[in-house]
């Protein structure tokens, strides 16, 4: 995928995962368990020494590259080795974002059906370490970006929870990084929870062409977790059909840990099998100058929205809304 990024980590107790952010912004989102996120933001580029107005040229052709790329060009290796890594500064609920190294302690949750979770935002060009004392599963959702925003903590209590649709089209959306909710450069990410037997991402819709005020150009990743029924593993189905902008054509069974990549196309429905609640994480990004989520319904199926007026939302929703942040 050109713009979107997704990495799911299963960490054993005490394991440390090192994560260079590179050219992307990232959010660390606990799926099951809590963790500590240590983030070192990149230092400012040091000024070059006075050269009498001359601009330093490239190294001679055939010269060996500096193995310490990004270091000050006139600082010796011995001198650089004397600079210890900076200490991390603890951050969390009620703390203000800073530019120095930080530590975010994420309480997390038992599982994806146990309400929204707190999360941490990591800037492009930064470097992070993720460690879980008890172990757990964590999603890193990212997007290639241009602006470098500060590392921040996102409290669970500030995640807007939206109930969409009605009847068997009812679903819950945790808008933790929706456009207009949490500031990112390119990344848009939400969680969708669908009771067993219901359809979500319906009517089928698309966002693969740029039409100002009507449709955004955004590629998308769906990551699934499906609740078991007793000892029976969960399953569901995902449909993506071709649109004028592309030829993506998918009808696939999905289980916990599966991901569906959607560079284009009408996507939906996402079908939860009876008895198996469905969770999916949506990761979106695109080339547009404005970060916004504008969709176009499939012309053959958009009428379904008019049937929801006056109907009740599925009483099984919301899923355990009201998770608390750590004190």
């Amino acid at each position: 995928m050109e713009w979107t990024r997704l990495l799911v980590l299963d960490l054993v107790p005490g394991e440390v995962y090192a994560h260079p952010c590179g050219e992307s912004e990232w959010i660390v989102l606990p799926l099951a368990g809590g963790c500590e996120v240590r983030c070192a933001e990149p230092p400012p580029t040091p000024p070059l020494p006075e050269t009498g107005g001359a601009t330093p040229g490239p190294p001679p052709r055939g010269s060996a590259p500096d193995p310490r790329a990004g270091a000050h060009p006139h600082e010796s290796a011995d001198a650089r080795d004397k600079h210890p890594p900076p200490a991390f500064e603890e951050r969390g609920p009620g703390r203000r974002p800073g530019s120095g190294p930080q530590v975010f302690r994420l309480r997390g949750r038992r599982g994806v059906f146990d309400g929204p979770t707190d999360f941490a935002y990591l800037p492009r060009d930064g470097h992070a370490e993720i460690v879980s004392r008890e172990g757990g599963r964590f999603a890193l959702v990212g997007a290639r970006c241009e602006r470098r925003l500060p590392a921040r903590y996102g409290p669970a209590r500030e995640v807007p929870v939206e109930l969409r649709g009605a009847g068997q089209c009812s679903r819950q959306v945790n808008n933790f990084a929706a456009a207009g909710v949490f500031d990112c450069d390119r990344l848009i990410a939400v969680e969708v929870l669908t009771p067993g037997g219901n359809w979500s991402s319906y009517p089928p819709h698309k966002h693969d062409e740029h039409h100002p005020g009507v449709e955004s150009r955004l590629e998308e990743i769906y990551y699934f977790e499906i609740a078991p029924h007793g000892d029976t593993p969960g399953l569901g189905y995902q449909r993506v059909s071709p649109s004028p902008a592309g030829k993506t054509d998918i009808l696939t069974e999905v289980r916990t840990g599966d991901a569906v990549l959607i560079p284009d196309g009408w996507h939906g429905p996402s079908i939860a099998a009876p008895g198996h609640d469905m969770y999916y994480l949506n990761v979106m990004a695109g080339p547009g100058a404005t970060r916004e989520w504008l969709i176009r319904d499939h012309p053959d199926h958009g009428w379904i929205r008019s049937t929801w007026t006056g109907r009740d939302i599925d009483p099984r929703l919301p899923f355990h809304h009201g998770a608390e942040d750590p004190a």
Side-chain angles (χ1 to χ4, degrees):
M1 300 286 275
E2 181 180 359
W3 293 94
T4 49
R5 311 283 188 262
L6 173 66
L7 179 64
V8 178
L9 305 176
D10 284 298
L11 300 182
V12 299
E15 181 180 359
V16 178
Y17 174 78
H19 181 72
C21 295
E23 64 176 4
S24 298
E25 58 187 343
W26 297 84
I27 285 178
V28 181
L29 183 78
L31 300 174
C35 67
E36 181 178 278
V37 180
R38 307 163 186 166
C39 177
E41 301 190 51
T45 303
L48 292 174
E50 294 293 334
T51 59
T55 302
R61 185 178 181 87
S63 62
D66 183 354
R68 299 173 181 267
H72 194 292
H74 294 272
E75 184 179 28
S76 70
D78 290 341
R80 287 191 295 261
D81 288 338
K82 292 179 182 178
H83 297 313
F88 288 102
E89 177 186 356
E90 184 169 345
R91 299 278 167 173
R95 309 277 186 133
R96 300 183 64 183
S99 59
Q102 301 171 60
V103 175
F104 303 98
R105 301 185 187 277
L106 304 185
R107 179 180 180 180
R109 54 192 168 182
R110 290 173 297 178
V112 295
F113 297 102
D114 290 322
T117 179
D118 53 352
F119 58 92
Y121 175 90
L122 308 176
R124 66 163 291 161
D125 303 317
H127 185 89
E129 292 180 347
I130 302 165
V131 58
S132 178
R133 179 180 300 178
E134 305 296 331
R137 188 169 59 259
F138 308 93
L140 275 70
V141 298
R144 202 180 87 200
C145 67
E146 298 173 358
R147 289 191 300 152
R148 183 188 298 162
L149 303 178
R152 281 161 289 147
Y153 174 83
R157 65 178 176 273
E158 294 182 8
V159 174
V161 174
E162 176 186 2
L163 301 184
R164 294 181 186 170
Q168 288 187 295
C169 289
S170 301
R171 61 272 202 183
Q172 172 180 332
V173 184
N174 297 338
N175 289 300
F176 70 96
V181 171
F182 186 84
D183 190 25
C184 299
D185 184 33
R186 299 278 185 176
L187 177 64
I188 298 174
V190 302
E191 301 178 296
V192 182
L193 300 98
T194 308
N198 286 9
W199 284 23
S200 61
S201 280
Y202 197 76
H205 58 281
K206 76 181 188 76
H207 40 68
D208 55 14
E209 296 178 294
H210 176 64
H211 296 284
V214 176
E215 182 180 355
S216 308
R217 182 184 165 195
L218 300 166
E219 62 183 30
E220 186 165 14
I221 300 174
Y222 276 53
Y223 165 78
F224 291 89
E225 296 201 4
I226 314 293
H229 183 77
D231 295 331
T232 304
L235 77 160
Y237 296 89
Q238 176 67 43
R239 177 72 170 120
V240 184
S241 54
S243 72
K247 299 181 179 180
T248 302
D249 194 351
I250 298 170
L251 175 58
T252 186
E253 180 179 296
V254 291
R255 296 177 179 265
T256 294
D258 287 341
V260 175
L261 309 184
I262 307 174
D264 51 61
W266 305 98
H267 39 288
S270 304
I271 304 171
H276 298 282
D277 298 331
M278 170 185 281
Y279 164 94
Y280 53 87
L281 173 61
N282 287 149
V283 186
M284 292 168 278
T290 302
R291 178 175 172 253
E292 58 185 350
W293 183 71
L294 299 176
I295 67 171
R296 184 177 300 192
D297 286 342
H298 195 295
D300 292 343
H301 305 286
W303 61 267
I304 193 69
R305 293 187 187 274
S306 65
T307 69
W308 298 341
T309 304
R311 296 185 61 192
D312 291 335
I313 292 176
D314 193 311
R316 292 173 289 178
L317 295 175
F319 283 97
H320 303 286
H321 182 216
E324 296 180 356
D325 292 313

